[in-house]
Amino acid sequence: MFNNKINLLKALAILVVVSGHLEFALIPMFPPYSFQVILFFFIAGMVFNNKYGFFEFIKRRAKSLMLPYFLYAAFYLGLTFALAPVIGKFWGMPVTLENEFLMPFLTGHQIDLISPLWFVPQLFVSLIVYKIFSYIKCSEAVKLTVFFLFALLAVQLGAFRENLYILLALRTMFSLLFIHLGYLYKNKVEGRFDIFTPKIFFSILALQSVLWLTNKDFTAMDGIGLSFILVWGEFDNWIVPVLTSIAGIWMSLFIIETLYERIKDWKFLHLIGQNTYHIMANHLLVFNIITYTFLALKGIPFDIKNNADIYWFYYPLKTTYFYFVIGIFATTYLGVFLKYLKRKLFPEKA
């Protein structure tokens, strides 16, 4: 069910995620944290295939999502141990069975270097719940209404996010709406209705401009209200997270639809779209290699970074876009290499 437009939409989605981790907005007026992860849930809904039975569905999603997740987790746990004596800090939680096997589903931040992959176990859980709802016989309008109410309730549950099980529940509830919207767009809207008219375009811009008024801190990245942090259940307004997510998704679809004829044959963009998992998993490693290289070249002790978090990078005023370009190129071709290695080692399974 993947096609070129979906692949290019995936490429845009991961570019937005990486730009967000470098604290700049790739799309003006649409801060990454106002829709970046939600766009991936929407894409998951676009490619949702309901032909498999429940347990076959779980098996397939476990193989495509959770198996590579735990392989990456094992690799980065070993790397984190190896790096600790060099950089003077252990970038992760204490190593326990709970942290390594339960925490991926609750926070996904048990190992700092792969913290962006928190999305994968959450997507796995959300898709299973969505699959369960697919067995309920009712109209799509009823399901849409239920999921919309779930999303609004999830925002309210953010007040109880310190309970990690409530945090998992609210993330799941919020994401179901956007999985369903992706499913509806692919199966009921695309090719049937034109939602990219000038009137809708200016309506989306008008909506987003009104949503900006909710911000308490008027910067491109840190506007509290327009931006929200789904992983930690941090919301500031009962309806803005839903509306700004929809606006960001529409703008992303509009960009791909508008540019498609010009970019449909750009091989590197397709490579980005085909390797979003590896980009998500590895871009913090590349960022940190760049950071420690800068520190070494400048003669700055490594432990200066240890007072900040894993996202801290060197001299952002000048280096932000260098990190972005190198990070995307390096992780995309790392993904290409890993897929090549898999084909060589397991030719019958590649």
Side-chain angles (χ1 to χ4, degrees):
M1 295 187 65
F2 281 91
N3 59 34
N4 285 343
K5 283 187 179 179
I6 293 178
N7 197 53
L8 291 173
L9 186 62
K10 289 177 62 187
L12 177 61
I14 197 64
L15 291 174
V16 170
V17 167
V18 175
S19 72
H21 291 158
L22 290 169
E23 300 189 356
F24 76 92
L26 191 66
I27 306 173
M29 282 186 69
F30 296 86
Y33 282 94
S34 68
F35 75 100
Q36 60 178 10
V37 172
I38 299 305
L39 180 54
F40 274 106
F41 285 115
F42 181 85
I43 294 170
M46 291 178 71
V47 301
F48 178 79
N49 193 329
N50 205 23
K51 72 177 183 180
Y52 300 110
F54 183 69
F55 293 106
E56 179 65 18
F57 180 83
I58 293 177
K59 177 182 175 182
R60 286 174 174 271
R61 295 291 74 78
K63 182 179 179 180
S64 63
L65 293 173
M66 297 312 302
L67 177 59
Y69 178 89
F70 282 112
L71 289 174
Y72 263 124
F75 169 78
Y76 273 103
L77 180 60
L79 182 63
T80 300
F81 271 113
L83 290 176
V86 179
I87 62 179
K89 184 175 183 178
F90 184 81
W91 287 105
M93 300 175 67
V95 179
T96 66
L97 288 176
E98 178 183 4
N99 286 344
E100 303 313 316
F101 293 99
L102 177 60
M103 204 55 66
F105 296 94
L106 299 180
T107 71
H109 280 60
Q110 70 283 358
I111 305 170
D112 290 4
L113 280 170
I114 58 164
S115 54
L117 275 187
W118 72 268
F119 166 78
V120 172
Q122 180 59 62
L123 178 61
F124 179 69
V125 171
S126 296
L127 285 173
I128 291 174
V129 175
Y130 187 74
K131 176 66 175 177
I132 293 172
F133 272 94
S134 73
Y135 291 110
I136 299 176
K137 302 299 182 183
C138 64
S139 70
E140 298 294 357
V142 170
K143 282 187 181 180
L144 183 61
T145 301
V146 170
F147 291 144
F148 181 77
L149 294 175
F150 276 2
L152 296 183
L153 178 58
V155 174
Q156 302 306 313
L157 288 175
F160 307 98
R161 62 182 179 269
E162 290 187 5
N163 183 310
L164 296 184
Y165 294 96
I166 292 178
L167 180 62
L168 173 62
L170 76 84
R171 291 198 311 254
T172 304
M173 293 169 65
F174 193 83
S175 64
L176 289 173
L177 171 63
F178 300 98
I179 295 174
H180 194 57
L181 286 174
Y183 177 80
L184 292 179
Y185 174 75
K186 184 64 181 174
N187 293 280
K188 305 293 184 180
V189 176
E190 188 179 40
R192 297 175 177 84
F193 303 96
D194 182 8
I195 65 169
F196 303 111
T197 65
K199 286 185 179 179
I200 296 178
F201 174 79
F202 289 112
S203 296
I204 291 293
L205 291 187
L207 171 63
Q208 191 72 352
S209 69
V210 171
L211 296 179
W212 267 95
L213 298 177
T214 67
N215 283 352
K216 297 178 180 179
D217 181 4
F218 287 88
T219 68
M221 280 300 302
D222 299 320
I224 299 173
L226 185 63
S227 298
F228 60 94
I229 312 298
L230 182 61
V231 61
W232 301 118
E234 295 180 11
F235 306 100
D236 189 64
N237 184 291
W238 71 280
I239 190 65
V240 170
V242 175
L243 295 180
T244 191
S245 295
I246 293 172
I249 289 169
W250 185 92
M251 185 56 66
S252 301
L253 291 169
F254 175 78
I255 289 171
I256 298 302
E257 189 71 24
T258 304
L259 297 179
Y260 181 70
E261 290 301 322
R262 291 184 176 273
I263 64 176
K264 64 180 181 180
D265 297 321
W266 288 16
K267 181 180 177 181
F268 184 63
L269 282 180
H270 284 289
L271 286 178
I272 293 174
Q274 293 160 6
N275 289 281
T276 54
Y277 200 121
H278 300 293
I279 296 169
M280 190 85 77
N282 297 305
H283 69 275
L284 280 190
L285 174 62
V286 173
F287 288 173
N288 278 272
I289 290 172
I290 296 171
T291 296
Y292 285 113
T293 300
F294 275 130
L295 294 179
L297 291 174
K298 296 292 183 178
I300 301 172
F302 285 173
D303 59 9
I304 192 175
K305 187 179 186 303
N306 295 343
N307 296 322
D309 64 25
I310 196 69
Y311 292 94
W312 185 89
F313 60 101
Y314 176 77
Y315 202 179
L317 188 62
K318 287 190 174 183
T319 63
T320 292
Y321 303 109
F322 178 81
Y323 275 83
F324 181 71
V325 172
I326 298 301
I328 292 297
F329 271 88
T331 53
T332 297
Y333 283 109
L334 177 59
V336 172
F337 170 74
L338 290 174
K339 288 180 178 180
Y340 168 80
L341 196 61
K342 179 184 176 182
R343 288 194 301 270
K344 289 295 184 181
L345 294 176
F346 309 102
E348 72 285 356
K349 297 181 181 180

